[in-house]
Amino acid sequence: MIKASVRAQAAYTLAAPPARRKLNQNESPFDFPAELKREVLERVAAQPWQRYPEFAPPELLARLAAHYGWVADGVLVGNGSNELIQSTLSVVLGAGDRVVAASPTFSLYRLLTAVLGGRYVPVPLDEGFAFDVDGLIEAARRESARVIVLNSPNNPTGSALPEGAVNRILSQTEALVICDEAYQDFGGPSAIPLLAGSSRLVVLRTFSKALGLAGLRFGLALAHPAVAREIAKGKLPYNVNLMTLAAARTALDHAPLLAARTREIVATRERVVARLPGVPGLTVYPTAANFVLIKSSRLPAKELCRRLLDDYGILIRDVSDSAPLAECVRISIGTAEDMDAVLDALRQILGKA
Ligand SMILES: Cc1ncc(COP(=O)(O)O)c(C=O)c1O
């Protein structure tokens, strides 16, 4: 009884063996500070647990709007931004509708498009994994795309859209444009300033990466209020629980402290990216995110991942299964100490390969 389009897809799963240095899921290397965890727990303890949480607490929406520079009635909160990817696609896509996306990108878009009966149209990134903006526009027009997905900085390549690209895509196509900015805290332009001028734009953000709350699942969508109201119909009620709502408030209360950690991750990334080309047999791609994509020419990617894990306790992501990413691996930016260990291990493994 399962739709053929669904059976044809691989499930979204991840084998994550335990490792001393976990650099495979683009999480923050810094745990949420202990005193902030206590604050969250106190907030939650003071609330009645037998009651459902509020759908969309007005004061939280107002604070998110102020933080991101948008209007409160254009903000939707979700159980991770993944939930908002799903609800946005579900209220827009009908059978056979085309979704144009740069490729490779975050695999959930392809999977959910198939589940919803849409048709996924990948547009390859250019040489060096830069966005092919003209190619995206051309494909969207040719296919009469219903949706264009722009993930910038892009997972797993780290590439960011050039300044002005989203505006050009909005003005030269008729699709709903989803800008997934899960990694924008770490670099690249944001599409948020364009929201005031377009009702065909949805910007997704998450507290899972820079804000260090992946375990509590909090994401948001920013859109024209009339569009946000429609996307809300595709969301399950009560999916953002009391604990998550409390954690989101606490994260906003301490935004400057968390932003300092983001700056530290960016500084570590810059140091690593400057030193990686010194390792023999590696191509390093430009990144604006909290991860870096590298290609290994001396050792197959799978073997490199195995050696890093078995011999050095370093878990990175093997992304080499598709042709454009042949022999590529993605390394999340950890602490400065994690990254020194990564550089040492890579030099030892590849220096002898
Ligand atoms: C591009 C992109 N969007 C969304 C997500 C999911 O984020 P969340 O934890 O908010 O569901 C990820 C997670 O890896 C991602 O890479």
Side-chain angles (χ1 to χ4, degrees), residues 80-82 85 106 151 155 180 182-183 206 208-209 217:
S81 58
N82 280 344
I85 295 173
F106 186 43
N151 171 209
N155 179 10
D180 183 335
Y183 302 100
T206 180
S208 295
K209 309 295 178 182
R217 317 298 303 122

Side-chain angles (χ1 to χ4, degrees), residues 12 25-27 78-85 105-109 150-156 180-183 204-209 213-215 217-220 291 317 330:
Y12 189 95
Q25 281 185 286
N26 303 338
E27 298 147 323
N79 186 6
S81 58
N82 280 344
E83 185 195 12
L84 296 161
I85 295 173
T105 194
F106 186 43
S107 61
L108 199 60
Y109 287 99
L150 303 170
N151 171 209
S152 175
N154 184 51
N155 179 10
D180 183 335
E181 298 189 349
Y183 302 100
L204 301 177
R205 307 286 299 219
T206 180
F207 279 29
S208 295
K209 309 295 178 182
L213 281 177
R217 317 298 303 122
F218 187 77
L220 60 148
F291 54 83
R317 187 72 153 258
R330 191 192 71 192

Side-chain angles (χ1 to χ4, degrees), residues 54 112 119 151 185 208 239 242 317 325 334 350:
E54 280 183 276
L112 290 177
R119 290 262 305 279
N151 171 209
D185 298 283
S208 295
N239 251 15
L242 284 180
R317 187 72 153 258
L325 294 173
L350 295 172

Side-chain angles (χ1 to χ4, degrees), residues 7-343:
R7 276 186 283 125
Q9 298 298 315
Y12 189 95
T13 57
L14 180 68
R20 191 148 40 97
R21 302 185 193 279
K22 186 176 180 308
L23 305 174
N24 67 330
Q25 281 185 286
N26 303 338
E27 298 147 323
S28 175
F30 306 117
D31 193 0
F32 207 55
E35 65 277 16
L36 270 56
K37 284 186 180 176
R38 268 195 300 280
E39 235 179 87
V40 174
L41 294 175
E42 278 163 22
R43 275 188 150 129
V44 177
Q47 289 177 303
W49 288 17
Q50 90 278 24
R51 305 289 179 209
Y52 284 105
E54 280 183 276
F55 276 129
E59 123 288 339
L60 179 60
L61 297 184
R63 293 195 59 198
L64 288 165
H67 184 78
Y68 287 100
W70 186 229
V71 292
D73 53 355
V75 179
L76 285 176
V77 295
N79 186 6
S81 58
N82 280 344
E83 185 195 12
L84 296 161
I85 295 173
Q86 183 183 43
S87 37
T88 304
L89 291 178
S90 72
V91 300
V92 175
L93 283 189
D97 284 340
R98 312 290 202 274
V99 174
V100 163
S103 175
T105 194
F106 186 43
S107 61
L108 199 60
Y109 287 99
R110 180 191 286 272
L111 176 61
L112 290 177
T113 300
V115 168
L116 294 165
R119 290 262 305 279
Y120 194 77
V121 182
V123 175
L125 294 167
D126 274 345
E127 198 76 19
F129 299 123
F131 280 89
D132 175 5
V133 177
D134 290 329
L136 286 162
I137 292 170
E138 196 275 317
R141 292 164 72 122
R142 186 187 66 233
E143 302 283 343
S144 305
R146 191 95 172 160
V147 176
I148 301 173
V149 174
L150 303 170
N151 171 209
S152 175
N154 184 51
N155 179 10
T157 58
S159 10
L161 276 164
E163 204 72 60
V166 178
N167 207 12
R168 196 147 73 78
I169 292 168
L170 279 167
S171 63
Q172 294 183 25
T173 69
E174 295 182 352
L176 181 90
V177 175
I178 300 179
C179 285
D180 183 335
E181 298 189 349
Y183 302 100
Q184 198 278 330
D185 298 283
F186 302 103
S190 171
I192 291 175
L194 302 176
L195 282 165
S198 178
S199 57
R200 280 189 289 113
L201 177 61
V202 177
V203 179
L204 301 177
R205 307 286 299 219
T206 180
F207 279 29
S208 295
K209 309 295 178 182
L211 298 179
L213 281 177
L216 290 190
R217 317 298 303 122
F218 187 77
L220 60 148
L222 308 171
H224 186 286
V227 176
R229 267 196 301 279
E230 298 306 319
I231 296 173
K233 296 177 188 170
K235 258 169 50 68
L236 292 177
Y238 313 118
N239 251 15
V240 186
N241 68 55
L242 284 180
M243 178 80 109
T244 301
L245 291 171
R249 290 182 174 108
T250 300
L252 289 172
D253 286 347
H254 298 278
L257 184 151
L258 298 172
R261 292 154 55 129
T262 302
R263 286 195 296 277
E264 188 176 335
I265 294 168
V266 170
T268 303
R269 176 190 76 201
E270 294 307 299
R271 253 187 349 105
V272 174
V273 166
R275 287 161 70 193
L276 275 169
V279 179
L282 285 188
T283 307
V284 184
Y285 296 98
T287 177
N290 65 333
F291 54 83
V292 58
L293 186 78
I294 59 177
K295 184 179 212 150
S296 154
S297 61
R298 287 204 173 176
L299 207 61
K302 289 201 180 337
E303 177 65 6
L304 180 59
C305 291
R306 192 193 63 73
R307 295 272 299 274
L308 281 170
L309 183 61
D310 291 353
D311 301 345
Y312 299 89
I314 298 171
L315 179 62
I316 63 167
R317 187 72 153 258
D318 173 16
V319 294
S320 66
D321 280 337
S322 69
L325 294 173
E327 305 315 344
C328 286
V329 299
R330 191 192 71 192
I331 307 176
S332 307
I333 305 298
T335 61
E337 194 223 338
D338 285 332
M339 302 324 284
D340 285 344
V342 168
L343 283 161

